[in-house]
Amino acid sequence: MSDQTGSIESHHLPKGATAETYAPSPEFREQANVTDPSVYWKAAQDPEGYWAEQAQNLQWTKPFSEVLDWTNPPFAKWFQDGELNVASNCLDRHVAAGNGDRVALHFEGEPGDTRTLTYAELTHEVKRAANMLTSLGVAEGDRVAIYMPMIPETVIAMLAVARLGAAHSVVFGGFSAESLRARIDDAEARLVITADGGWRKGRVSALKPTVDDALALNGGGSTVSRVLVVERAGNDVAFDEDRDLWWHREITAFDGEHEAQGFPAENPLFILYTSGTTGKPKGILHTSGGYLTQVSTTHRDVFDLKPDTDVYWCTADIGWITGHSYVVYGPLANGATQVIYEGTPETPDWGRWWSIIQKYGVTIFYTAPTAIRACMKVGRQVPEQYDLSSIRVLGSVGEPINPEAWRWYREVIGAGTAPIVDTWWQTETGAIMISPLPGLTPLKPGSAQVPQPGISVTVVGEDGAPVENGQGGLLVVQRPWPSMVRTIWGDDQRFIDTYWAKFGDRYFAGDGARLDEDGDVWLLGRVDDVMNVSGHRLSTAEIESALVEHHAVAESAVVGADDETTGQAVVAFVILKSQQSILSLDDAEPELKKHVAAQIGAIARPRQIFIVSELPKTRSGKIMRRLLKDAAEGREVGDTTTLADTSVMQTISDRVRSER
Ligand code: WTA
């Protein structure tokens, strides 16, 4: 890349070091939230004690007496006899503590409109919304689907649902009607909250019509009785008078008086769907007390948050776990001031993010490697036009950050001094599990490094025995943790099979990893059929089944191939039905790309589709995706001796090569 940084000082530790390291500066260390390294071993001696202490930072309407119930693994219960209200922990208590005038949200719309909500104002809006939802019949135990752009009402809606003890299921606004419907059905949502549309890349991206389409599928009957629509983009939308309601009209009937009730710590807070190794997305269930404890603790310590002076910005969409834990619950539980931005980094030009940082004086910035690499490509001359001197901590999440991107991030965005916290975690873990602590950890570009206090991970072989440092293996979490997934919604057996069957009562994360000589963790990518495209999880099986649903397709195989910007990209190999006369070879690729986007959502659109006449299969008929991945990444194809027909891979590699 053209603007690789050359001026970074790095030193090599004489012994045990596996990479360049960057120790915290004395000035940073001095002011950091966590400065005593004994926190690690103290927490390791008594993890439950550590988490119980962290839980005391929350406000409980009924204190807990039991920290962890692990008598029925893998079904953990944390703080189970305690009661709390998650929303009032994020709102009312800050107002009660005299911080009502502190800004909670600096909202920046993509067209340039802005809105500021203090904690008092946000609390008021959430109370009104809670009253409105109550009038629509939402109560403890219900599920509410949320399909929204990145606007304040999305945060308000989530917190209002939580305030009532109901659970939300936020569906990313880029998902198709089919995907939305599958999630609504699985969660049996009774209400959908959406917007007319949102702004993306200078245009209105409609949302309400997709909700209409979703609810019209399968003959029209669904569990949903009401659709609440926020007016955001002003696009024309159809209105079903019996079912649809405008948020801004309804809300006028409700005031800001609402007493928050405590709910049990294990009351469901949300379901969030994520891709697994089979076609059907998994509804990851998170509950209240443990989740809020770990997201708030990690948000405070990993980002070194100072609520009264920091301005925090996490660029994740609320439709993903990062948006749940580090836009909504972590920062608001901590009383942070944060920025939320509706649109894309390149609108109206690539300076947008940096201008937002300059405008609001952002001090903590959390984004994904794929975005950093995209900005690197555009060039450092763009961020260099802005004053980014307010930045003091940088975060990364979603995939391993390659050292080149790490150095660029630190040098160009972090003035060569800001610590970078590379945070490893998952939808299932709910909160950060592995990350440096910025005042303590000498940073190693490319490694997520250290399990958080109270968290214990290791790397094991297929047999479950630890592998030696330096060897690759499978990442496992050794003990239950407060924000862990409680089950897959409606499917306890799949929960057991997916995460626990392999290694007993240790959690199998699905990631490869190795420990270096210092014991630092290096993540090596997924070991299952889950791809990571721009930090988003996609399942090969889900895309394959979308492809074969097309009437012209006989068979398909999908792989995640290395991609310079997006980390991995979807590459599909497709056999067309021999009798089909619908698709010419030339039309097939664009048509099938469109089809996948319509079935699942634009994020799943393949980068390339190769029409082939055969797929590489073993004698027992199993598709060897590993070989297809070799071909897609332009490598020499690996061992083909187990193939039923060894010439198939030759033909496919020639095909791929001819298109490079
Ligand atoms: C990957 C996102 C390396 C990993 C919070 C994991 C990472 C999957 C990192 C979870 C990181 C996330 N280093 N890999 N810092 N962060 N991953 O559920 O493969 O969308 O299993 O959660 O992303 O993705 P999910």
Side-chain angles (χ1 to χ4, degrees):
M1 272 171 216
S2 57
D3 45 11
Q4 193 182 348
T5 55
S7 58
I8 293 177
E9 48 145 338
S10 66
H11 62 275
H12 292 267
L13 292 183
K15 196 165 157 271
T18 49
E20 66 200 76
T21 58
Y22 300 79
S25 70
E27 305 80 62
F28 193 95
R29 199 194 303 253
E30 186 112 320
Q31 59 80 60
N33 287 350
V34 187
T35 50
D36 180 358
S38 72
V39 62
Y40 289 114
W41 69 258
K42 280 187 191 148
Q45 299 300 306
D46 180 15
E48 291 177 32
Y50 172 78
W51 288 117
E53 200 182 311
Q54 303 308 314
Q56 298 307 339
N57 293 321
L58 301 178
Q59 189 178 64
W60 296 82
T61 53
K62 175 172 176 257
F64 55 87
S65 63
E66 187 183 19
V67 180
L68 169 66
D69 176 357
W70 190 236
T71 52
N72 181 28
F75 300 97
K77 292 185 175 142
W78 283 88
F79 315 119
Q80 69 161 319
D81 60 345
E83 291 182 1
L84 78 171
N85 188 288
V86 171
S88 78
N89 267 281
C90 295
L91 301 165
D92 312 41
R93 70 167 168 147
H94 303 314
V95 179
N99 294 319
D101 291 339
R102 184 184 296 164
V103 172
L105 301 178
H106 287 294
F107 167 68
E108 172 100 3
E110 199 192 72
D113 57 318
T114 60
R115 194 173 156 199
T116 300
L117 286 139
T118 63
Y119 272 93
E121 289 163 342
L122 187 62
T123 304
H124 179 75
E125 292 304 324
V126 170
K127 287 178 171 181
R128 293 175 78 199
N131 286 328
M132 171 171 66
L133 295 183
T134 302
S135 81
L136 297 174
V138 176
E140 179 179 5
D142 286 336
R143 271 85 54 205
V144 175
I146 296 180
Y147 186 68
M148 297 273 276
M150 280 293 285
I151 56 175
E153 281 81 2
T154 313
V155 179
I156 294 168
M158 290 166 77
L159 291 170
V161 170
R163 193 174 181 92
L164 299 175
H168 51 73
S169 165
V170 181
V171 180
F172 172 61
F175 277 119
S176 66
E178 276 79 7
S179 297
L180 173 60
R181 178 59 187 260
R183 286 157 174 75
I184 288 172
D185 287 351
D186 189 74
E188 300 178 282
R190 61 180 298 156
L191 175 78
V192 180
I193 306 177
T194 188
D196 48 1
W199 289 93
R200 263 188 77 80
K201 302 195 180 175
R203 274 178 283 134
V204 173
S205 161
L207 291 165
K208 170 68 163 60
T210 309
V211 174
D212 295 339
D213 291 348
L215 296 179
L217 289 168
N218 308 345
S222 79
T223 50
V224 172
S225 56
R226 290 290 195 175
V227 177
L228 194 53
V229 189
V230 174
E231 188 175 41
R232 163 65 190 150
N235 48 312
D236 266 343
V237 292
F239 235 68
D240 173 343
E241 295 301 333
D242 296 330
R243 188 195 67 191
D244 301 342
L245 299 163
W246 283 112
W247 173 293
H248 64 278
R249 294 220 182 117
E250 285 307 298
I251 197 93
T252 55
F254 301 96
D255 61 22
E257 296 297 313
H258 187 273
E259 192 75 41
Q261 181 194 331
F263 295 99
E266 284 296 338
N267 195 40
L269 179 61
F270 64 86
I271 303 168
L272 184 60
Y273 288 83
T274 188
S275 297
T277 49
T278 68
K280 191 173 181 277
K282 301 177 284 197
I284 301 302
L285 176 69
H286 283 289
T287 58
S288 304
Y291 173 81
L292 200 63
T293 297
Q294 194 174 335
V295 294
S296 56
T297 301
T298 51
H299 182 259
R300 180 195 66 214
D301 291 348
V302 170
F303 298 107
D304 193 49
L305 179 80
K306 310 287 190 290
D308 41 4
T309 49
D310 275 317
V311 179
Y312 165 87
W313 182 20
C314 166
T315 64
D317 190 281
I318 286 179
W320 310 110
I321 190 67
T322 309
H324 283 60
S325 302
Y326 297 104
V327 177
V328 181
Y329 293 108
L332 295 177
N334 287 336
T337 293
Q338 69 176 317
V339 170
I340 62 171
Y341 169 56
E342 178 183 32
T344 56
E346 69 266 43
T347 310
D349 57 58
W350 280 97
R352 189 62 184 272
W353 275 7
W354 321 124
S355 81
I356 292 174
I357 291 178
Q358 174 179 292
K359 177 173 172 186
Y360 296 102
V362 170
T363 57
I364 305 171
F365 182 63
Y366 190 29
T367 192
T370 184
I372 299 164
R373 289 192 298 267
C375 295
M376 278 173 81
K377 259 194 183 161
V378 176
R380 59 158 67 200
Q381 73 283 355
V382 177
E384 279 174 358
Q385 289 161 30
Y386 298 87
D387 177 4
L388 307 180
S389 60
S390 53
I391 295 275
R392 62 178 203 92
V393 179
L394 294 171
S396 172
V397 63
E399 58 178 308
I401 176 165
N402 48 309
E404 191 191 5
W406 194 103
R407 292 187 206 103
W408 189 92
Y409 195 26
R410 170 144 162 136
E411 178 72 11
V412 180
I413 310 305
T417 53
I420 297 178
V421 288
D422 175 359
T423 62
W424 178 89
W425 58 295
Q426 308 177 297
T427 307
E428 292 87 342
T429 69
I432 294 168
M433 301 291 276
I434 307 175
S435 167
L437 288 175
L440 273 181
T441 317
L443 305 170
K444 285 181 191 168
S447 169
Q449 299 194 271
V450 205
Q452 287 305 288
I455 300 295
S456 166
V457 307
T458 190
V459 177
V460 301
E462 280 292 337
D463 58 357
V467 299
E468 275 176 41
N469 287 10
Q471 301 288 306
L474 305 171
L475 183 72
V476 296
V477 185
Q478 315 222 64
R479 267 193 309 263
W481 63 101
S483 63
M484 68 195 278
V485 46
R486 296 304 196 261
T487 190
I488 293 175
W489 183 255
D491 203 344
D492 287 347
Q493 193 56 48
R494 191 175 176 196
F495 174 61
I496 295 168
D497 294 346
T498 309
Y499 306 109
W500 307 93
K502 214 171 164 73
F503 300 122
D505 58 3
R506 293 179 298 174
Y507 170 84
F508 169 54
D511 275 28
R514 93 184 143 76
L515 302 178
D516 68 18
E517 293 158 51
D518 305 324
D520 283 331
V521 185
W522 295 73
L523 279 309
L524 304 173
R526 301 289 305 190
V527 296
D528 51 13
D529 291 325
V530 173
M531 290 169 282
N532 190 327
V533 179
S534 297
H536 300 317
R537 278 164 68 170
L538 294 170
S539 114
T540 53
E542 196 180 355
I543 301 175
E544 287 169 1
S545 76
L547 281 165
V548 296
E549 264 174 48
H550 191 284
H551 43 265
V553 173
E555 219 180 328
S556 78
V558 166
V559 298
D562 282 347
D563 184 281
E564 214 183 82
T565 306
T566 59
Q568 287 188 312
V570 180
V571 176
F573 297 83
V574 167
I575 304 176
L576 296 179
K577 285 180 186 157
S578 57
Q579 301 303 326
Q580 71 92 20
S581 54
I582 323 122
L583 278 186
S584 73
L585 272 186
D586 282 348
D587 294 343
E589 181 172 355
E591 159 73 18
L592 293 177
K593 282 183 179 173
K594 218 171 77 196
H595 171 78
V596 172
Q599 288 280 309
I600 302 172
I603 44 163
R605 182 194 303 271
R607 181 184 74 189
Q608 285 165 301
I609 295 183
F610 295 103
I611 309 298
V612 294
S613 52
E614 273 181 275
L615 291 170
K617 288 185 183 161
T618 61
R619 285 174 200 93
S620 59
K622 209 168 158 321
I623 297 175
M624 293 194 68
R625 291 189 185 73
R626 178 171 57 78
L627 302 178
L628 291 171
K629 196 165 144 69
D630 287 344
E633 293 176 352
R635 259 195 313 277
E636 212 40 59
V637 170
D639 185 5
T640 57
T641 49
T642 54
L643 287 182
D645 175 356
T646 48
S647 70
V648 171
M649 262 331 287
Q650 193 54 50
T651 320
I652 291 179
S653 319
D654 292 347
R655 244 322 252 102
V656 174
R657 212 163 293 138
S658 72
E659 290 211 7
R660 287 183 90 81

